[in-house]
């Protein structure tokens, strides 16, 4: 193939190495070149958007997005350019709307039809919906609220009643006292429900604002399990165990969680079930091709039969890094070439 695979980055940000690139980008470029596929890195710059578009349209077979949205000031314009590139035949890895669908927290509410997410999982896009539903949800069980923005556990709150409700009550009063633990660092705050809900309103307002409300899973203390996926192939598993303290439920390194790296075969039951759900997941999330590099995080739960099951807590595909396992660049390169071959076969005349 004469055309190139274009890797998009953006200048600056804390995810760059001394050479100015993400540490996992150039290994992928070199792995492709070793296999005879030309590749290069372009830095997205809003002032050069049209120039970049014209160049990639002419010279690019596919793009691979390696930009962390937190490092991108003009995210909407970037996504608009990627959509235009896909429309003119450049293969998106991933398509920008797949990036949004798989990376947004409301992926959980969209997947309640699968066996991956409990059906009492709700998305709040308006303050009115939040006020109407959350006091009822909290009356049933301890909850976790997740904002759509933020990272490393910021704006993810475990919410628990300080005192149980009187028998027969199905809605938590706004003056009820609640204990709130933030996943960022497992610190605890005490609020009245009404005051806390007012505090949470900014999570809902603004661009891409929303809150996810799902039941708290006590077995999170046994650890969170992250599948690293290359399209439909699990290649790596990270077991993330929260710190051994009373209120800890966060699986971030910042909060003191311990990480262990396993092979997919070590989690065969989880892997097999997730792969069996992928066709339905793909359909529910817009029908786009699976992202090139993405993750799915799971927590242990117990089903009605008393058996272990795994509940999806989050997915991410915006810019998943693998800097601790740079040898994966060769597997990524093989996956890119396979995708190019599949797409070429699809569009070629019979």
């Amino acid at each position: 193939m004469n055309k190139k695979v274009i890797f998009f980055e953006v200048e600056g940000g804390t995810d760059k190495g001394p050479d100015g690139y993400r540490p996992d980008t150039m290994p992928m470029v070199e792995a492709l070149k070793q296999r005879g596929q030309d590749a290069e890195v372009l830095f997205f710059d809003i002032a050069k958007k049209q120039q970049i578009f014209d160049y990639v349209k002419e010279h690019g077979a596919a793009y691979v997005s390696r930009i962390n949205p937190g490092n991108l000031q003009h995210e909407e314009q970037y996504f608009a350019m990627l959509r235009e590139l896909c429309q003119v035949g450049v293969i998106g890895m991933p398509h920008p709307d797949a990036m949004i669908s798989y990376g947004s927290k409301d992926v959980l509410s969209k997947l309640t039809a699968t066996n991956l997410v409990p059906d009492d999982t709700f998305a709040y896009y308006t303050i009115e919906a939040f006020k109407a539903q959350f006091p009822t949800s909290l009356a049933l069980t301890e909850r976790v609220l997740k904002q759509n923005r933020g990272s490393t556990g910021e704006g993810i709150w475990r919410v628990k009643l300080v005192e149980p409700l009187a028998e027969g009550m199905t809605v938590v009063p706004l003056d009820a006292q609640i204990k709130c633990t933030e996943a960022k660092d497992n610190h605890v705050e005490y609020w009245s429900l009404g005051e806390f809900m007012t505090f949470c309103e900014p999570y809902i307002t603004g661009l891409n604002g929303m809150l996810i409300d799902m039941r708290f899973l006590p077995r999170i203390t046994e650890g969170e399990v992250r599948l690293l996926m290359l399209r439909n192939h699990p290649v790596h598993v990270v077991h993330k165990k929260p710190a051994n303290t009373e209120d800890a439920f966060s699986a971030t390194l910042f909060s003191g969680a311990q990480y262990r790296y396993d092979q997919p075969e070590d989690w065969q039951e989880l892997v097999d079930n997730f792969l069996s759900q992928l066709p339905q997941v793909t359909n529910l999330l817009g029908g786009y091709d699976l992202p090139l590099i993405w993750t799915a995080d799971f927590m242990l739960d117990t089903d009605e039969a008393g058996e272990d099951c795994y509940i999806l807590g989050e997915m991410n595909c915006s810019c998943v890094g693998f800097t601790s396992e740079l040898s994966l660049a060769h597997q990524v390169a093989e996956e890119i070439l396979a995708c190019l071959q599949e797409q070429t076969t699809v569009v070629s005349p019979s």
Side-chain angles (χ1 to χ4, degrees), residues 105-124:
K105 293 293 194 302
D106 67 351
V107 67
L108 299 176
S109 62
K110 294 176 180 178
L111 297 181
T112 54
T114 70
N115 67 11
L116 304 173
V117 182
D119 57 11
D120 62 340
T121 301
F122 308 102
Y124 304 129

Side-chain angles (χ1 to χ4, degrees), residues 27 33 118 166 264 274 282 303:
K33 289 183 176 180
F274 185 52
T282 302
D303 64 21

Side-chain angles (χ1 to χ4, degrees), residues 48 96 137 147 186 259 287 340:
K48 301 177 181 178
S137 300
Q147 71 156 327
N186 293 315
Y259 283 25
L340 290 174

